[in-house]
């Protein structure tokens, strides 16, 4: 698995330090608000688990799943729920936790969905941001790291459902997805 990685972009230590900083900021901003933290599966599962353990207010644990990428390495604006959120967001502040904001289409879709459900506010915390790839005019309110336009895996992020269990974030060798 490690031999499929071209370069390590973010080490375990860098990730842990930044997750702690993000959690501190989120804790300050949301401490006195009724906030629902929502993990977008599957990519954010490790980030979410690390983040919530650094969050200093009462929170419930919530998941949803959307499909946008399929198994390939290119985006598509067609987004549907594969697993909807099972808790109510009406009258609450929603913070969407994502592995990466890329085209921005997922965020646009979720923002509209939660607003329609009566959320007081909808914001996003994305561990990674690839601003070069944006197709819509939207940005995450909290970003861990801005990264260049390269396909990355690890720490939850996959290529074809693999590499999610790598403890760091790395750039996949292009020959892997050009096969
Ligand atoms: P969006 O294009 O902003 O809607 O992002 C959709 C999803 O694409 C993210 O949540 C990731 O699951 C996936 N994605 C985007 N870039 C990468 C990448 O470099 N590696 C792995 N998954 C990615
Ligand atoms: Mg994915």
């Amino acid at each position: 698995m490690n031999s499929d990685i071209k370069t390590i972009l973010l080490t375990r230590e860098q990730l842990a330090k930044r997750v702690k900083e993000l959690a501190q900021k989120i804790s300050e901003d949301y401490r006195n608000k009724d906030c629902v933290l929502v993990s977008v599966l599957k990519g954010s599962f490790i980030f979410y688990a690390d983040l919530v353990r650094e969050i200093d207010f009462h929170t419930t644990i919530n998941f949803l799943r959307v499909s946008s990428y399929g198994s390939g390495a290119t985006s598509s604006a067609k987004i549907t729920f594969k697993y909807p959120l099972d808790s109510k967001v009406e009258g609450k502040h929603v913070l969407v936790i994502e592995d990466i904001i890329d085209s921005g289409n997922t965020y646009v879709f979720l923002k509209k969905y939660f607003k329609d459900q009566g959320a007081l506010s909808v914001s996003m915390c994305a561990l990674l941001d690839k601003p070069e790839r944006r197709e819509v005019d939207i940005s995450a309110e909290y970003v861990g790291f801005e990264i260049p336009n390269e396909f990355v895996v690890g720490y939850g992020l996959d290529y074809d459902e693999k590499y999610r269990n790598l403890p760091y974030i790395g750039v996949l060798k292009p020959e892997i997805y050009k096969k």
Side-chain angles (χ1 to χ4, degrees):
M1 186 166 59
N2 284 283
S3 62
D4 295 348
I5 303 301
K6 188 171 80 175
T7 44
I8 295 179
L9 203 64
L10 298 162
T11 64
R12 254 182 137 121
E13 292 73 26
Q14 284 173 302
L15 290 164
K17 182 170 175 278
R18 189 68 185 123
V19 168
K20 212 171 197 152
E21 289 168 0
L22 288 170
Q24 273 168 8
K25 181 85 177 82
I26 290 166
S27 296
E28 284 164 22
D29 293 354
Y30 285 91
R31 189 165 285 129
N32 298 313
K33 292 181 177 168
D34 197 356
C35 170
V36 186
L37 294 174
V38 179
S39 161
V40 182
L41 293 172
K42 296 177 189 175
S44 76
F45 84 109
I46 296 179
F47 176 43
Y48 188 77
D50 284 348
L51 190 78
V52 294
R53 283 180 289 175
E54 302 286 348
I55 292 265
D56 186 25
F57 54 76
H58 286 293
T59 180
T60 52
I61 299 299
N62 309 278
F63 300 100
L64 63 77
R65 202 171 163 205
V66 289
S67 64
S68 61
Y69 253 61
S71 64
T74 51
S75 180
S76 128
K78 262 195 85 153
I79 296 165
T80 53
F81 278 108
K82 274 192 170 173
Y83 173 68
L85 196 72
D86 56 9
S87 44
K88 289 242 182 318
V89 301
E90 194 182 343
K92 296 182 180 178
H93 297 274
V94 174
L95 182 60
V96 178
I97 312 298
E98 263 278 35
D99 52 356
I100 184 166
I101 178 159
D102 186 41
S103 69
N105 291 321
T106 307
Y107 188 20
V108 168
F109 171 82
L110 290 175
K111 208 176 186 78
K112 179 174 186 317
Y113 175 78
F114 287 128
K115 281 270 169 74
D116 290 349
Q117 298 290 308
L120 290 179
S121 73
V122 184
S123 297
M124 175 175 281
C125 173
L127 178 66
L128 307 176
D129 184 2
K130 271 191 213 169
E132 272 177 64
R133 297 253 314 163
R134 207 75 88 246
E135 291 170 11
V136 282
D137 184 20
I138 200 164
S139 52
E141 286 70 12
Y142 305 87
V143 170
F145 302 90
E146 266 195 19
I147 62 164
N149 185 15
E150 281 184 294
F151 198 78
V152 293
V153 293
Y155 195 71
L157 291 105
D158 74 307
Y159 171 66
D160 205 8
E161 292 300 327
K162 296 188 288 276
Y163 309 101
R164 293 193 197 275
N165 56 322
L166 282 174
Y168 55 82
I169 289 178
V171 179
L172 199 59
K173 287 181 180 166
E175 59 260 38
I176 303 292
Y177 53 82
K178 282 178 187 146
K179 258 183 212 159

